[in-house]
Coordinates of all heavy atoms in Angstrom, one line a residue:
P33 N 0.9 42.5 -22.6 CA 1.7 43.0 -21.6 C 1.2 42.4 -20.3 O -0.1 42.0 -20.1 CB 1.6 44.4 -21.5 CG 0.2 44.7 -22.3 CD 0.1 43.6 -23.2
T34 N 2.1 42.2 -19.3 CA 1.6 41.8 -18.0 C 1.1 43.0 -17.1 O 1.4 44.2 -17.6 CB 2.7 41.1 -17.1 OG1 3.7 41.9 -16.9 CG2 3.2 39.8 -17.9
P35 N 0.2 42.9 -16.2 CA 0.0 44.0 -15.4 C 1.2 44.8 -14.8 O 1.1 46.0 -14.8 CB -1.0 43.5 -14.2 CG -1.6 42.3 -14.9 CD -0.5 41.7 -15.7
Q36 N 2.1 44.0 -14.5 CA 3.2 44.6 -13.8 C 4.1 45.4 -14.9 O 4.6 46.6 -14.6 CB 4.3 43.5 -13.3 CG 5.4 44.1 -12.5 CD 6.3 43.1 -11.9 OE1 5.9 41.9 -12.0 NE2 7.3 43.5 -11.1
Q37 N 4.1 44.9 -16.2 CA 4.8 45.8 -17.3 C 4.0 47.0 -17.6 O 4.7 48.1 -17.7 CB 4.9 44.8 -18.5 CG 5.8 43.7 -18.5 CD 5.7 42.9 -19.7 OE1 4.7 42.8 -20.3 NE2 6.8 42.1 -19.9
L38 N 2.7 46.9 -17.6 CA 1.9 48.1 -17.9 C 1.7 49.1 -16.7 O 1.8 50.4 -16.9 CB 0.6 47.8 -18.5 CG -0.1 48.9 -19.3 CD1 0.7 49.3 -20.4 CD2 -1.6 48.3 -19.5
L39 N 1.4 48.5 -15.5 CA 1.1 49.4 -14.4 C 2.3 49.8 -13.5 O 2.1 50.7 -12.7 CB -0.1 48.7 -13.6 CG -1.3 48.4 -14.4 CD1 -2.3 47.7 -13.5 CD2 -2.0 49.7 -14.9
G40 N 3.2 49.0 -13.7 CA 4.4 49.2 -12.8 C 4.4 48.6 -11.4 O 5.3 48.7 -10.5
H41 N 3.3 47.7 -11.1 CA 3.1 47.1 -10.0 C 2.5 45.7 -10.3 O 1.9 45.5 -11.2 CB 2.1 47.9 -9.0 CG 2.5 49.1 -8.4 ND1 3.4 49.4 -7.4 CD2 2.3 50.4 -9.0 CE1 3.6 50.6 -7.4 NE2 3.1 51.3 -8.2
R42 N 2.8 44.8 -9.2 CA 2.2 43.3 -9.3 C 0.9 43.4 -8.8 O 0.5 44.1 -7.9 CB 3.0 42.3 -8.6 CG 4.3 42.1 -9.1 CD 5.1 41.0 -8.2 NE 5.1 41.6 -6.8 CZ 5.4 40.8 -5.8 NH1 5.7 39.6 -5.9 NH2 5.4 41.4 -4.6
M43 N -0.2 42.7 -9.5 CA -1.5 42.6 -9.1 C -1.5 42.0 -7.8 O -0.8 40.9 -7.3 CB -2.4 41.9 -10.0 CG -2.5 42.4 -11.5 SD -3.0 44.2 -11.3 CE -4.7 43.9 -10.8
G44 N -2.3 42.6 -6.7 CA -2.5 42.1 -5.3 C -1.5 42.6 -4.4 O -1.3 42.2 -3.4
E45 N -0.5 43.4 -5.0 CA 0.5 44.0 -4.1 C 0.0 44.9 -3.0 O -1.1 45.5 -3.2 CB 1.4 44.9 -5.0 CG 2.8 45.4 -4.4 CD 3.6 46.2 -5.2 OE1 4.1 45.6 -6.3 OE2 3.8 47.4 -5.1
D46 N 0.5 44.8 -1.9 CA 0.1 45.6 -0.8 C 0.2 47.1 -1.0 O 1.1 47.6 -1.7 CB 0.9 45.3 0.5 CG 0.7 43.9 1.0 OD1 -0.4 43.3 0.7 OD2 1.5 43.5 1.9
R47 N -0.9 47.8 -0.5 CA -1.0 49.3 -0.7 C -1.1 49.8 -2.2 O -0.5 50.8 -2.4 CB 0.1 49.9 0.2 CG 0.0 49.6 1.6 CD 1.1 50.4 2.4 NE 1.0 50.0 3.8 CZ 1.9 49.4 4.6 NH1 3.0 49.3 4.0 NH2 1.6 49.1 5.8
Y48 N -1.4 49.1 -3.1 CA -1.6 49.5 -4.4 C -3.0 49.0 -4.9 O -3.2 47.8 -5.0 CB -0.4 49.0 -5.3 CG -0.6 49.5 -6.7 CD1 -0.6 50.8 -7.1 CD2 -1.0 48.6 -7.7 CE1 -0.7 51.2 -8.5 CE2 -1.3 49.0 -9.0 CZ -1.0 50.3 -9.2 OH -1.3 50.7 -10.6
V49 N -3.7 49.9 -5.4 CA -5.0 49.7 -6.1 C -4.9 50.5 -7.4 O -4.8 51.8 -7.3 CB -6.1 50.1 -5.2 CG1 -7.4 49.9 -6.0 CG2 -6.1 49.4 -3.9
P50 N -5.0 49.9 -8.5 CA -4.9 50.6 -9.7 C -6.3 51.5 -9.9 O -7.3 51.1 -9.6 CB -4.7 49.6 -10.9 CG -5.4 48.3 -10.2 CD -5.0 48.4 -8.8
S51 N -6.0 52.6 -10.7 CA -7.1 53.5 -11.0 C -8.0 52.7 -12.0 O -7.5 51.8 -12.7 CB -6.7 54.9 -11.4 OG -6.1 54.8 -12.5
Y52 N -9.2 53.4 -12.3 CA -10.0 52.9 -13.3 C -9.4 53.1 -14.7 O -9.4 52.1 -15.5 CB -11.4 53.6 -13.1 CG -12.4 53.3 -14.4 CD1 -13.1 52.2 -14.3 CD2 -12.4 54.2 -15.5 CE1 -14.1 51.7 -15.5 CE2 -13.3 53.8 -16.5 CZ -13.9 52.8 -16.4 OH -14.8 52.3 -17.6
N53 N -8.9 54.3 -14.9 CA -8.1 54.5 -16.2 C -6.9 53.7 -16.4 O -6.8 53.2 -17.5 CB -7.7 56.1 -16.1 CG -8.9 57.0 -16.2 OD1 -9.9 56.6 -16.7 ND2 -8.7 58.1 -15.7
D54 N -6.3 53.3 -15.4 CA -5.1 52.3 -15.5 C -5.6 51.0 -15.9 O -5.1 50.2 -16.7 CB -4.3 52.2 -14.2 CG -3.5 53.4 -13.8 OD1 -3.3 54.2 -14.7 OD2 -3.2 53.5 -12.7
M55 N -6.7 50.5 -15.3 CA -7.2 49.2 -15.6 C -7.8 49.3 -17.1 O -7.6 48.2 -17.7 CB -8.4 48.8 -14.6 CG -7.8 48.4 -13.2 SD -6.5 47.1 -13.3 CE -7.4 45.7 -14.0
M56 N -8.5 50.2 -17.4 CA -8.9 50.3 -18.8 C -7.9 50.3 -19.7 O -8.0 49.7 -20.9 CB -9.8 51.5 -19.0 CG -11.1 51.5 -18.2 SD -12.2 50.1 -18.8 CE -12.0 49.0 -17.4

Side-chain angles (χ1 to χ4, degrees):
T34 63
Q36 187 173 1
Q37 290 171 336
L38 192 68
L39 303 175
H41 294 275
R42 291 180 303 166
M43 293 306 289
E45 185 176 302
D46 288 343
R47 298 187 180 118
Y48 175 72
V49 178
S51 69
Y52 175 81
N53 292 331
D54 289 343
M55 288 305 299
M56 289 299 105

